[in-house]
Structure formats: C-alpha cells, structure tokens
Amino acid sequence: MKIGFNKVDITPPVGIRLGGYAHRYGRPSEKVHDPLYAGVVIFESGENIVAIIFSDLLGINKTFSNRVKDRISGKIGIRRENIMFTTIHNHSAPETIIPMWPNTFPYSRKEKNVLDRWMREMEDKIVDSAERAFQNLDKGYIKMGKGRVSDISYNRSFKNGVIDPDLTYLYIFSGGERIVISNFACHPVCNIDLGISADYPGNFSQKLFKRGIINFFTTGCTGDIDPLKKGREFIEYMGSRLLSTFFHTIENVSELKNSQLKISSREIELKFRDPPDLETAEKRFREIYKKCIDKIEEEKCFVDLLYADEELAIARENRRSTKTLIQGFSMGGEFLFITIPGEMFAEIGLEFKRRSYENGFKHIIISNYSNDYIGYIPIQRAFHLNTYETRLARWSRVTEDAEKIFLDKMTKLMNDLKL
C-alpha cells in the first residue's frame, strides 16, 4: 500500500465570529488559544485510491464539500466519490454551517466579507494540501489500535445513558514519518470563551506532535455526548487522557496484513419536519424580540428568542426534505471507516459497531460531521422525551424514522465493504 499525507494551518483571523454557541451573541473572536488545521491522507492499493480531508472546523455544507472535492478531483485525478471531507465539529471555529442568531444579530457586510475571504483561502489551502499528499505517496504499513476512555464524557440526553468510550486509531508508518488517524466520541465544546481553539482534539494532536506523531482526528457519534466539564483546564485533561490511552495501547496494536481497499457510498433521502407558517413565525419573532432583546441574558428570554429566531429561519428556508450521503472504505476486511453527515446519537453508533463486529470487522471509525450537515440524528426515544436535540431548529430537522433509515443504509454500506 502507498500512503501520502499533508497538513496545513487554517487558523482564521481574530475578529471572525465563532460557531456552535448561542451564548456568544454574535460577538467577534478576541484571541487565538491554539491554531486550527486541515489535512489530507491518501491511501492507494492496487487500482483503488481514497482521499480523506480532515479539518478542525465546526462543519461543512454539501455545496462547499462538493466544490472542494471537484477541485481536488480535477487536480490529482481521484474520483469525487472516493474523496471524503470530515470535520471535528469544533465549537471554537468559524460559523461554516449554521450562523447563530441570523435575525437577531445578523452579519454586517464587513463580517461577512471576512468570513468569505477566509473560507476561500481555506479552500485553496485544502486543495493544495491534497496535491502535496498525492505527491508524497510512498510505501507504508498500517497498525490498528483501540483503547477505552470512560471518565471524560457523559450522555447529556438520558440519565445514566450510554457513551462510546472507544479511542480507535490507525497507526501509520510512511515516508519515514508516523501518523495517526484517531476517533473519539465527545462534543468538542470545552472552550466556551471568545478564543479560537481546536478544543480537546487539538490538544491531543499537539501532545502527539511533540512526540513526533502527526494526528488526524475525527469525531465519533456525539449527538448526545458531552465532556464531563468545560474550560481550558479540562481541555488539557482530556488531551492527556487520550494521549495516555494511546501510548498504553500501542503495544497491543495489530498490523493490517491485507491492504485490499474497498470504497462505496449510499445516498440517503430524509424528510424534514414541517416548518412553521412564515407569517406566524415573523409575527412571533417580532413580538419576542421586542420583549426580550434588552433582557437576553435572562434564561427564559434567551431560550424564547433563540427558538423564535430559529423558527423564522426555518420558515424562510421552507425545506421539506433533503438528500445526503454516507461514504465508507474498508481495508483488508478488518478496518472500516464510515462518514455521517450530522450529529448521530451514541446509541446508533454502538449498534452499528455491534453489527460490524459480527461481520468480521475489528476496528471501526464512524466519522460524524462529514461531507454535509443535516443536524442531529437522534434515536426515536429522544423525540418522545422531547430532548434538546429534537426541538425544532436548523440543527434539528429530521423525523423520528431517521434512526432506522440511517442504520439500514449504514448496514448496507458495511456489507458493500466486506471482502
């Protein structure tokens, strides 16, 4: 097998808005805690080749993802279907998927220009990184490892609910370098201030880099999984726990004996819950805005205005369904990598892993927030309990049957990828 890789700094300028936290109220970022990166890893085995884009972003939409893939395909000749674009769902990166408060705190023209310029520059850097990774293709070998970290995350939706404690990774040796593709299921939401940061995945990567290892991180099924604590100190703790687990398990890694590469994808069509009537949504937003804009830091006003803003945004979009994509590749019938275009609940991911183990796969990475963003993918029970992830918003649009639809499609994709 040949392997090529490259990593590039994509840190945005201070002053750009950060995504994922409504409590920032549209305020600009104030500093850089640590840099953001993107990178590309390419695997080539026989006539098959796959490229994975990794990034410290909040997420990406389908239009942006496809454009980047098309540019890479045109540059180096890899089919778009064989390129995957992953993000870590970093809440201290710019608003690349869903700008918060679109009606309450809309972007100024200057703010929008800064965001657009940075995104164009980032896109160019990712395409260039893919070219460099392709040029660096060299013979290499792969080891597969897995550890468990059960004391840094919890299920925020269900009391005593399940988590996925697996730190799953590929340990790769190529061109005289050591790289890791790692996966862990916990929201990167420790950093809550106005500083740009790659959160705990970035801290883990920095610690590995100091030991001569380049890390490409992917986030697992985190839809209902949060860190036990927040703050910069807990970022350091999470990074240390992941690092310790990695080094405690590398003695037990197994080498990938068969480098046969298989690649496949499945399209998924999903219904969205009906949007509110536009006239009603506009009226409700105006009323709540007038009542709450000067009291927005009070919890009730914060929640009421946030969801009135969301309902208006949904009503204006008036989308009733979407088509999205899951992709995957396998190596040697032992390793399985699957992409998910949203925030899948841990319960769904664990069930899929169980099915994959039963079919002979030994190491499984489910990379969420990849290729597209459709919002939360909850289990059916969450709708009945009205958890946060099921309340109608731009990040919560799918219907109760999404769990079954995804599991069915993922299982079919997994079957496509068996030897």
Side-chain angles (χ1 to χ4, degrees):
M1 172 172 279
K2 288 186 177 180
I3 304 160
F5 60 92
N6 184 261
K7 203 167 189 178
V8 62
D9 191 319
I10 57 166
T11 307
V14 171
I16 204 165
R17 288 194 192 184
L18 304 178
Y21 266 132
H23 80 263
R24 290 186 175 119
Y25 303 113
R27 290 175 293 181
S29 55
E30 296 178 347
K31 55 191 170 185
V32 176
H33 287 300
D34 48 272
L36 308 187
Y37 290 96
V40 179
V41 178
I42 299 176
F43 297 104
E44 184 180 62
S45 179
E47 296 181 354
N48 292 324
I49 188 167
V50 63
I52 311 104
I53 303 164
F54 299 86
S55 66
D56 292 337
L57 299 176
L58 177 66
I60 46 167
N61 60 48
K62 184 166 52 179
T63 300
F64 182 80
S65 173
N66 286 343
R67 185 170 69 245
V68 172
K69 291 180 184 183
D70 284 339
R71 288 185 61 187
I72 291 173
S73 179
K75 288 276 188 179
I76 61 179
I78 300 178
R79 296 170 58 222
R80 188 172 92 177
E81 293 79 9
N82 291 14
I83 304 171
M84 304 172 192
F85 197 144
T86 73
T87 76
I88 66 171
H89 197 49
N90 175 21
H91 285 51
S92 294
E95 294 187 311
T96 48
I97 43 174
I98 296 178
M100 302 294 292
W101 304 106
N103 302 292
T104 306
F105 302 112
Y107 272 64
S108 68
R109 180 177 295 181
K110 181 180 179 181
E111 287 177 317
K112 190 66 167 60
N113 287 340
V114 170
L115 176 64
D116 290 345
R117 182 168 60 251
W118 170 75
M119 289 195 68
R120 288 193 299 269
E121 292 171 353
M122 173 188 64
E123 179 181 329
D124 290 343
K125 288 180 178 180
I126 290 172
V127 174
D128 181 67
S129 187
E131 284 190 272
R132 292 176 184 274
F134 186 72
Q135 292 166 0
N136 293 337
L137 278 169
D138 199 356
K139 288 184 178 180
Y141 63 95
I142 299 171
K143 295 183 178 182
M144 303 175 295
K146 182 169 63 177
R148 294 171 69 85
V149 192
S150 58
D151 61 350
I152 57 176
S153 62
Y154 77 104
N155 192 308
R156 70 186 187 191
S157 298
F158 307 108
K159 187 176 181 179
N160 300 318
V162 299
I163 63 168
D164 183 349
D166 289 349
L167 171 65
T168 304
Y169 59 88
L170 293 181
Y171 195 20
I172 301 167
F173 302 80
S174 178
E177 299 278 1
R178 294 179 295 164
I179 74 168
V180 167
I181 294 176
S182 58
N183 179 264
F184 185 70
C186 182
H187 260 89
V189 293
C190 292
N191 186 71
I192 57 176
D193 64 17
L194 292 169
I196 295 164
S197 173
D199 213 272
Y200 79 83
N203 186 274
F204 177 41
S205 295
Q206 288 175 14
K207 292 180 186 305
L208 282 172
F209 186 73
K210 288 178 180 178
R211 291 156 177 82
I213 302 170
I214 301 169
N215 185 37
F216 296 85
F217 188 89
T218 68
T219 305
C221 295
T222 65
D224 50 355
I225 308 299
D226 261 10
L228 280 176
K229 297 179 182 179
K230 294 182 180 178
R232 300 299 303 175
E233 287 185 7
F234 203 68
I235 288 175
E236 178 71 24
Y237 179 73
M238 289 186 72
S240 296
R241 290 289 293 113
L242 293 174
L243 183 77
S244 173
T245 301
F246 173 78
F247 279 110
H248 275 104
T249 56
I250 57 173
E251 293 182 358
N252 300 317
V253 294
S254 57
E255 187 169 347
L256 186 71
K257 302 294 185 182
N258 183 344
S259 63
Q260 184 175 344
L261 188 63
K262 295 189 74 174
I263 309 151
S264 188
S265 61
R266 292 268 177 169
E267 189 176 78
I268 297 180
E269 187 166 0
L270 296 164
K271 291 181 180 178
F272 280 164
R273 283 169 282 162
D274 289 337
D277 171 77
L278 180 57
E279 183 178 349
T280 302
E282 287 177 337
K283 181 181 178 182
R284 173 174 163 77
F285 173 74
R286 287 195 301 269
E287 290 174 350
I288 294 178
Y289 180 90
K290 183 177 180 180
K291 177 182 177 181
C292 286
I293 189 60
D294 294 327
K295 300 183 293 183
I296 195 170
E297 293 192 6
E298 296 179 9
E299 184 176 358
K300 186 176 188 312
C301 269
F302 174 86
V303 173
D304 287 350
L305 185 53
L306 174 65
Y307 281 99
D309 198 320
E310 282 301 305
E311 288 171 4
L312 179 53
I314 293 168
R316 285 175 174 162
E317 288 179 359
N318 196 31
R319 296 172 65 200
R320 306 298 175 114
S321 64
T322 190
K323 288 184 179 179
T324 191
L325 182 74
I326 58 173
Q327 292 175 282
F329 70 93
S330 66
M331 291 191 288
E334 293 185 87
F335 174 75
L336 179 64
F337 187 102
I338 297 283
T339 66
I340 302 297
E343 311 198 42
M344 181 168 281
F345 270 35
E347 292 85 350
I348 305 174
L350 289 169
E351 171 59 21
F352 176 73
K353 283 187 174 182
R354 184 191 67 78
R355 296 182 185 187
S356 299
Y357 292 138
E358 287 181 351
N359 279 272
F361 290 102
K362 296 179 180 178
H363 296 267
I364 300 132
I365 285 180
I366 308 173
S367 179
N368 281 233
Y369 315 103
S370 299
N371 301 309
D372 191 9
Y373 181 78
I374 62 165
Y376 285 105
I377 306 167
I379 59 174
Q380 192 174 37
R381 182 160 59 99
F383 288 91
H384 301 161
L385 296 176
N386 295 316
T387 67
Y388 154 75
E389 298 87 0
T390 63
R391 181 167 179 175
L392 189 65
R394 285 171 298 159
W395 52 83
S396 177
R397 298 297 309 277
V398 301
T399 55
E400 290 186 24
D401 58 355
E403 175 186 6
K404 182 180 185 305
I405 290 170
F406 267 93
L407 267 175
D408 288 348
K409 289 285 187 176
M410 291 164 69
T411 302
K412 289 176 180 176
L413 181 60
M414 178 262 294
N415 287 325
D416 292 344
L417 297 171
K418 292 191 297 186
L419 289 186

